[in-house]
Amino acid sequence: LLFAGSYFDFACELPIATNGQIFPWDRMRLPKTISPLHYDLTIHPNLTTLNFTGVVRIQLDVLEDTSTIILHAKQMQISGALLLAPDGVKPLQVLEYPRFHQLSLLSDSVLTKGRKYEVQLVFAANLSDSFHGFYKSSYRTSTGEVRVLASTQFEATFARGAFPCFDEPAFKANFTVRIIREPRHIAVSNMPKVKTVELPGGLLEDHFDTTVKMSTYLLAYIVSDFQSVSKTTQHGVKITVYAVREKIDQTAFALDAAVKLLDFYDDYFDIPYPLPKQDLAAIPDFQSGAMENWGLTTYRETGLLFDPEKSSVSDKQGIAKVIAHELAHQWFGNLVTMEWWNDLWLNEGFAKFMEFISLDITYPELHVDDFFLGKCFEAMEVDSLSSSHPVSTPVENPTQIQEMFDDVSYDKGACILNMLRDFLTPEAFEIGIIRYLKRYSYQNTVNSHLWDSLTNICNSDDLDKGRMEHKEFCSKRNLSSKWYSGDELDVKAIMDTWTLQEGFPLVTVEVRGREVWLSQERFLKTDDPSLIDGFLWQIPLTYMTSASNTIHRFLLKTKRDVLYLPEEVDWVKFNVDMSGYYMVHYAGEGWNSIIRLLQHNHTALTSNDRASLIHDIFQLVSIGKVRLDTALELSLYLSRETEVMAVTQGFGELVPLYKLMEKRDMAALENQMKGYIVDLFRELIDRQKWTDSGSVSERVLRSYLLLFACVRNYAPCVTKATQLFNKWKDSDGNMSLPVDITMAVFVIGARTPEGWDFLFEKYRHSLQMSVKSRMKVAMAVSPLQDKLKWMMEQSLHGEVMKTQDLPDVVVSVSKNPRGYKLAWDFLRTHWHTLIKKFDLGSHSVSYMVTGVTNQYSTREMMDEVRNFFSSLTEETGSEMRCIQQTYETIEDNIRWMDTNLPLLQAWLNKHSHRAVHEDL
């Protein structure tokens, strides 16, 4: 009986196929017995009935004798499965196991190791109404006609929803695609079209050239009525931008940028782009920012379309960065691909990092460098919670895989690469990554492959085949001794501490005479000290002192160490220019000496250094290392600050303090805090011209300051913006407003019902994507609650406001003091619809969860949030990491308020008292 019982338990765990038979495979990952070599794929979408049919023939390489073929398919009907073997055609039995999106094809005879076979499957499915797989998108023409198209988004696990395939990144194969369409449409795919065949019934079949060897998630095809414009790069690659007809005149900047960037990467990586063309398509419905499909990159319309008259410089910067990111992936990700999603950062961290490297050289006037450290601060925000994860972390199921597309993979990945580049020197880093790409082209890699390629870069056979300037660098480098000796430098040992453990270090620096005492610990926002133990990093420290401008370097490998200075100094600044991914605490008199320096001579430090000091001191308040009044004393210097990163970082640390208060009943202190910030920046705000003049960074700063001043009801700003809005409205929106100030003007206009309705009408009919996004933000920060609620419902409905924009709308409303309760109610009410549309684990869902809740700071709200999320099941998202992040963030906010409110009140009282005396 006991035996029978345990057998019964075992039997219950066996996977059961949809027909009741036992499914012959019980793991989520596919077996390695069979590998695909080539897919012949014919797809016929019907844009009227919104479904598609297809046939796929997959050529297989059998690596072990087997009679079952396990592959992926999701929500599709399979109507015929054949084995095309050397000894004839045989039917295959098909079993389906939807839980793991798997099919099993059972053969009567054994498939023999080393022999080649083909399977053929006929399939049918509906076009998806989400944003992934083979999905439906639509747009409205200026005459109001709705046009439908079909496009793909396969990363990470959605190719299986479009055709049966081995949907894991290591199963690389070649693809030959054919698409059947109506004559009124065009079809595009990864490769150029080789011919079009007329079929009976007036249909056309486009045949595309065979792709290079690549992963399934990079396959793409679009059937649409898009128009296009083209140019050719210096290396002979044809670049084409596709968009809907009425927006094709907004593609010139993207086309030029793509040509310039593809040429740059071709030279920088010293590997020719391997395809004859690269298309960039602006898709009307698109969930993420863009996708790097090899040879056919796809984008949100806002990520590609630029109107020189109506778009802002930050729009231009954003579009250039998105294109730079996707084109970097053509090498990092497409040519060399991570073995499995646990090392996604090898794709995304690199592409994010290369945005800045490439644009610094191709578009120096965009000043992208001014904004890089903002990425590191964003990563630190999630990485300072115990729910963070290592850059490289085990994942199995689709939800966990989706969750990898987060600030840790992208931004922390980019920041640790930047730190390594600074540490090794840019030349050595470039030699190493070229070696990595050449060594692993058309293959899959793990972390250690990258570290090996960056080790001993000058003692390598690859160098003989490399560029002249690399050989020169190595010969010079051997003559001059670097700041570390060769045998000491173990890139893998250093970088494993940054990729295999979560979090980042806090380095405490204490100057005692000529000695600098150093120690490291994990920076963690928690009241549980046991969570900090057991972490050790190898930290490439950089520092400068009051005595010299030289950047000194030191690799801290131990918990504690001591440095010796040649002479006593007034101050030290560690993590020069924030090139390292760590925070610094200046113990003893350290912070006071820095505050004095900033008060009397802030330009002795670069603006990046100033921004990192502002960031670190306020973050240290939250873990109790620094008193709030010390951080506020440092903030006083900001009244003389003019550089964009330092100013925005000042806002970034001060504004959240009153945002917490807005969600509690403490109007007096809240207004005092708001008043302090306006006073601090008053002179800088007053100096802003209401025009579009100056450098990119000056213009970004102007938009930011005027928007802040108007939102904060600073009288001169409100008066000016009201006048301009009324003039613009009187001209029926035809008057041309300076682009940099439109946001401030729209925000003031959207405060009245008439102004809001007028903005909405203009939003509805505008074809300029960047103008629409500014209008959308202005409408979401309006105090009119009925409008806010209606706007969220409209976005969910997706007719007039696109559902792709819903996460932004909901989060904007949640930051609005009149809207935060509405956004939280909306999220709870529509939860099941939202996770179906945007997918569990996706960035869109986690952005809504954290964005809506991260400014709560009371036990009551904590209980309300916990009650809702704990009512979910695993299928509806209870296991998502963003829920843990939410709990931790609210706990941290509660702790912060309990500890610091009395200090804040006392300091603001004292400060306003001081200010009054100074005025007298």
Side-chain angles (χ1 to χ4, degrees):
L1 194 66
L2 188 65
F3 177 77
S6 42
Y7 173 77
F8 178 74
D9 291 345
F10 174 68
C12 283
E13 286 172 16
L14 288 173
I16 304 297
T18 48
N19 68 350
Q21 271 179 253
I22 288 176
F23 192 80
W25 185 250
D26 63 356
R27 280 170 235 172
M28 201 167 283
R29 297 281 295 273
L30 298 179
K32 298 204 167 26
T33 46
I34 286 185
S35 186
L37 296 170
H38 182 265
Y39 292 82
D40 245 312
L41 177 63
T42 303
I43 293 269
H44 178 193
N46 184 323
L47 298 190
T48 311
T49 56
L50 302 180
N51 52 15
F52 63 94
T53 53
V55 182
V56 65
R57 277 175 71 155
I58 313 173
Q59 195 186 336
L60 305 173
D61 189 8
V62 179
L63 307 173
E64 285 171 40
D65 286 4
T66 181
S67 56
T68 60
I69 301 164
I70 311 287
L71 72 167
H72 289 111
K74 183 182 176 185
Q75 293 175 340
M76 57 175 59
Q77 298 85 44
I78 310 290
S79 57
L82 299 174
L83 178 69
L84 292 73
D87 53 348
V89 177
K90 300 172 188 169
L92 291 166
Q93 190 197 348
V94 181
L95 296 181
E96 296 183 45
Y97 187 53
R99 184 174 164 220
F100 289 170
H101 311 146
Q102 285 171 358
L103 292 181
S104 171
L105 310 178
L106 307 179
S107 162
D108 293 341
S109 52
V110 171
L111 282 67
T112 314
K113 177 179 175 175
R115 292 178 73 176
K116 303 280 188 284
Y117 297 83
E118 278 191 88
V119 291
Q120 177 173 300
L121 297 163
V122 177
F123 57 93
N126 291 324
L127 287 171
S128 167
D129 57 3
S130 65
F131 297 99
H132 41 252
F134 192 21
Y135 71 95
K136 177 200 114 162
S137 170
S138 65
Y139 68 95
R140 199 180 284 271
T141 65
S142 53
T143 58
E145 182 194 348
V146 173
R147 302 244 176 116
V148 175
L149 61 131
S151 182
T152 58
Q153 167 63 37
F154 290 164
E155 192 176 33
T157 56
F158 303 115
R160 62 191 69 171
F163 64 102
C165 58
F166 294 78
D167 198 12
E168 292 181 7
F171 288 112
K172 289 192 169 184
N174 304 90
F175 297 82
T176 307
V177 175
R178 298 173 185 191
I179 294 178
I180 298 170
R181 60 176 172 88
E182 297 175 53
R184 65 194 173 114
H185 291 130
I186 60 160
V188 286
S189 185
N190 306 72
M191 296 298 286
K193 186 166 73 172
V194 285
K195 65 173 178 181
T196 299
V197 177
E198 288 191 28
L199 300 181
L203 292 171
L204 301 174
E205 183 177 72
D206 290 332
H207 293 222
F208 296 91
D209 215 341
T210 302
T211 70
V212 292
K213 194 175 162 195
M214 65 184 201
S215 305
T216 46
Y217 77 86
L218 293 169
L219 190 68
Y221 35 87
I222 302 167
V223 177
S224 69
D225 63 349
F226 287 168
Q227 305 273 305
S228 65
V229 291
S230 301
K231 268 189 181 174
T232 304
T233 70
Q234 286 172 4
H235 294 82
V237 179
K238 185 181 181 187
I239 307 273
T240 305
V241 180
Y242 289 90
V244 305
R245 190 178 60 79
E246 290 178 299
K247 294 176 186 171
I248 199 72
D249 58 350
Q250 297 175 52
T251 54
F253 174 67
L255 185 61
D256 288 343
V259 168
K260 227 172 178 181
L261 284 158
L262 202 73
D263 274 332
F264 168 81
Y265 288 135
D266 227 308
D267 295 334
Y268 183 89
F269 295 134
D270 197 29
I271 299 172
Y273 173 74
L275 309 186
K277 60 97 172 170
Q278 169 66 244
D279 298 337
L280 298 84
I283 311 294
D285 299 279
F286 202 83
Q287 183 172 343
S288 59
M291 178 62 209
E292 68 267 20
N293 317 301
W294 212 345
L296 172 54
T297 50
T298 48
Y299 302 77
R300 265 187 183 220
E301 290 186 324
T302 45
L304 203 61
L305 304 178
F306 180 82
D307 178 337
E309 299 298 305
K310 299 277 175 68
S311 300
S312 69
V313 285
S314 47
D315 295 326
K316 189 177 214 173
Q317 206 178 50
I319 291 166
K321 277 162 69 175
V322 174
I323 296 172
H325 182 101
E326 303 316 325
L327 296 187
H329 270 311
Q330 308 300 302
W331 285 262
F332 273 104
N334 301 9
L335 184 66
V336 180
T337 312
M338 75 267 134
E339 175 79 26
W340 179 245
W341 302 105
N342 61 317
D343 281 329
L344 174 71
W345 84 277
L346 287 173
N347 279 16
E348 296 302 349
F350 251 110
K352 174 60 67 182
F353 170 70
M354 288 309 300
E355 291 174 24
F356 292 89
I357 299 293
S358 61
L359 291 173
D360 204 27
I361 293 167
T362 52
Y363 285 95
E365 71 279 10
L366 288 179
H367 295 291
V368 288
D369 255 13
D370 286 357
F371 303 90
F372 183 74
L373 70 163
K375 293 284 137 204
C376 305
F377 297 151
E378 281 170 35
M380 284 173 163
E381 194 161 323
V382 291
D383 213 13
S384 62
L385 304 173
S386 59
S387 53
S388 187
H389 62 90
V391 166
S392 180
T393 202
V395 288
E396 282 298 318
N397 67 47
T399 300
Q400 292 167 343
I401 292 168
Q402 284 294 102
E403 287 189 311
M404 288 299 283
F405 292 79
D406 68 354
D407 287 349
V408 173
S409 295
Y410 285 70
D411 297 342
K412 180 178 180 176
C415 294
I416 61 176
L417 288 169
N418 185 55
M419 174 169 70
L420 181 61
R421 178 177 184 255
D422 182 65
F423 175 70
L424 295 175
T425 73
E427 297 82 359
F429 182 82
E430 188 179 325
I431 293 169
I433 61 171
I434 291 170
R435 182 205 286 188
Y436 167 77
L437 289 171
K438 287 185 173 174
R439 212 179 256 183
Y440 298 106
S441 289
Y442 303 103
Q443 296 174 58
N444 295 80
T445 56
V446 295
N447 258 339
S448 53
H449 292 136
L450 177 62
W451 310 142
D452 293 347
S453 301
L454 284 158
T455 305
N456 295 331
I457 48 144
C458 288
N459 320 343
S460 127
D461 305 340
D462 312 310
L463 203 62
D464 302 336
K465 305 190 280 284
R467 294 193 204 145
M468 205 55 223
E469 67 262 34
H470 290 164
K471 291 175 196 166
E472 283 168 13
F473 165 75
C474 283
S475 59
K476 274 189 204 147
R477 183 172 142 155
N478 291 336
L479 299 172
S480 64
S481 70
K482 185 78 177 78
W483 56 281
Y484 50 78
S485 59
D487 60 349
E488 182 193 316
L489 184 66
D490 182 343
V491 173
K492 183 177 186 303
I494 294 168
M495 294 311 289
D496 278 353
T497 69
W498 296 94
T499 57
L500 302 182
Q501 57 184 357
E502 71 269 28
F504 59 90
L506 167 63
V507 176
T508 298
V509 174
E510 188 169 358
V511 180
R512 303 179 184 175
R514 280 180 46 210
E515 294 178 344
V516 182
W517 290 52
L518 303 169
S519 66
Q520 61 160 298
E521 64 189 275
R522 180 175 177 193
F523 181 95
L524 191 62
K525 293 181 176 176
T526 178
D527 46 8
D528 179 355
S530 70
L531 294 172
I532 295 171
D533 298 339
F535 287 86
L536 188 70
W537 283 266
Q538 294 200 20
I539 311 172
L541 296 177
T542 52
Y543 63 97
M544 54 191 286
T545 71
S546 56
S548 90
N549 283 331
T550 312
I551 298 177
H552 305 276
R553 297 173 182 274
F554 178 74
L555 186 64
L556 178 65
K557 293 179 169 182
T558 50
K559 197 89 177 142
R560 290 184 175 70
D561 213 329
V562 181
L563 285 175
Y564 297 92
L565 300 173
E567 60 195 291
E568 290 200 12
V569 295
D570 296 332
W571 52 265
V572 293
K573 164 69 173 76
F574 273 73
N575 199 358
V576 178
D577 270 340
M578 180 78 198
S579 60
Y581 185 71
Y582 58 93
M583 284 195 207
V584 185
H585 172 43
Y586 299 91
E589 274 300 293
W591 278 113
N592 290 335
S593 61
I594 280 170
I595 290 171
R596 280 195 298 277
L597 172 68
L598 290 173
Q599 291 289 8
H600 297 114
N601 183 20
H602 68 278
T603 53
L605 297 171
T606 65
S607 65
N608 271 10
D609 275 329
R610 303 195 300 269
S612 76
L613 288 167
I614 297 163
H615 172 265
D616 288 6
I617 198 166
F618 277 94
Q619 294 305 310
L620 288 163
V621 170
S622 67
I623 61 163
K625 292 271 182 192
V626 173
R627 280 174 57 96
L628 177 62
D629 33 14
T630 310
L632 290 165
E633 287 295 323
L634 182 140
S635 76
L636 287 166
Y637 105 88
L638 285 164
S639 62
R640 287 188 299 288
E641 183 58 83
T642 56
E643 297 289 332
V644 66
M645 249 341 276
V647 170
T648 51
Q649 200 52 43
F651 278 109
E653 301 300 339
L654 294 167
V655 168
L657 308 190
Y658 74 68
K659 294 307 286 180
L660 293 178
M661 297 175 211
E662 283 182 342
K663 294 173 177 53
R664 295 168 59 150
D665 189 16
M666 40 178 54
L669 183 58
E670 177 196 318
N671 289 328
Q672 222 176 332
M673 185 67 202
K674 288 173 176 173
Y676 168 66
I677 303 174
V678 172
D679 279 347
L680 197 57
F681 293 105
R682 186 187 302 270
E683 278 185 39
L684 192 56
I685 292 167
D686 288 343
R687 285 210 298 275
Q688 300 307 310
K689 296 187 173 67
W690 290 64
T691 61
D692 285 339
S693 54
S695 71
V696 168
S697 292
E698 285 165 346
R699 293 182 61 183
V700 169
L701 184 61
R702 172 187 301 127
S703 301
Y704 193 98
L705 287 167
L706 293 179
L707 176 62
F708 171 79
C710 280
V711 170
R712 284 284 50 81
N713 297 318
Y714 179 50
C717 184
V718 176
T719 308
K720 181 87 174 161
T722 308
Q723 285 169 353
L724 284 168
F725 184 79
N726 291 337
K727 271 190 186 165
W728 179 72
K729 187 166 169 279
D730 292 343
S731 76
D732 196 27
N734 293 319
M735 178 183 120
S736 172
L737 287 168
V739 178
D740 297 350
I741 64 158
T742 49
M743 191 72 134
V745 172
F746 292 163
V747 160
I748 292 301
R751 289 182 171 182
T752 66
E754 312 78 61
W756 200 97
D757 290 342
F758 181 76
L759 262 182
F760 180 72
E761 268 314 297
K762 292 294 149 204
Y763 172 88
R764 239 168 108 115
H765 295 110
S766 172
L767 291 169
Q768 269 85 22
M769 300 318 295
S770 45
V771 177
K772 287 182 85 132
S773 24
R774 287 197 286 279
M775 289 175 171
K776 188 184 68 195
V777 172
M779 292 187 291
V781 298
S782 167
L784 307 167
Q785 289 177 314
D786 55 328
K787 304 285 191 192
L788 299 175
K789 209 168 162 182
W790 184 82
M791 194 175 170
M792 290 190 290
E793 283 157 4
Q794 283 300 313
S795 303
L796 184 62
H797 192 48
E799 283 295 307
V800 191
M801 304 189 95
K802 287 269 184 196
T803 306
Q804 64 176 17
D805 298 330
L806 179 65
D808 285 334
V809 170
V810 171
V811 172
S812 295
V813 170
S814 78
K815 302 282 177 257
N816 180 336
R818 303 295 302 279
Y820 68 94
K821 284 198 172 78
L822 302 174
W824 170 233
D825 289 344
F826 182 87
L827 185 71
R828 287 185 293 181
T829 307
H830 299 287
W831 180 257
H832 296 285
T833 312
L834 295 173
I835 58 173
K836 194 161 178 273
K837 186 77 182 172
F838 291 107
D839 218 56
L840 276 187
S842 69
H843 182 261
S844 306
V845 170
S846 61
Y847 175 62
M848 284 189 281
V849 169
T850 52
V852 167
T853 57
N854 64 11
Q855 292 176 350
Y856 295 145
S857 63
T858 62
R859 282 273 155 234
E860 297 74 49
M861 273 320 293
M862 182 68 190
D863 293 343
E864 202 172 295
V865 168
R866 219 180 255 284
N867 285 342
F868 172 68
F869 288 122
S870 59
S871 73
L872 303 175
T873 63
E874 188 173 347
E875 288 71 37
T876 57
S878 65
E879 299 300 304
M880 286 191 300
R881 187 184 287 118
C882 60
I883 294 174
Q884 292 314 118
Q885 289 170 337
T886 288
Y887 294 162
E888 283 190 68
T889 302
I890 299 175
E891 286 290 358
D892 179 49
N893 291 343
I894 292 171
R895 268 198 309 277
W896 196 99
M897 294 293 256
D898 289 349
T899 310
N900 292 306
L901 276 181
L903 285 167
L904 180 62
Q905 182 71 73
W907 189 86
L908 286 171
N909 290 342
K910 194 174 90 181
H911 172 72
S912 54
H913 194 65
R914 259 192 304 195
V916 168
H917 275 279
E918 281 163 17
D919 290 349
L920 296 174

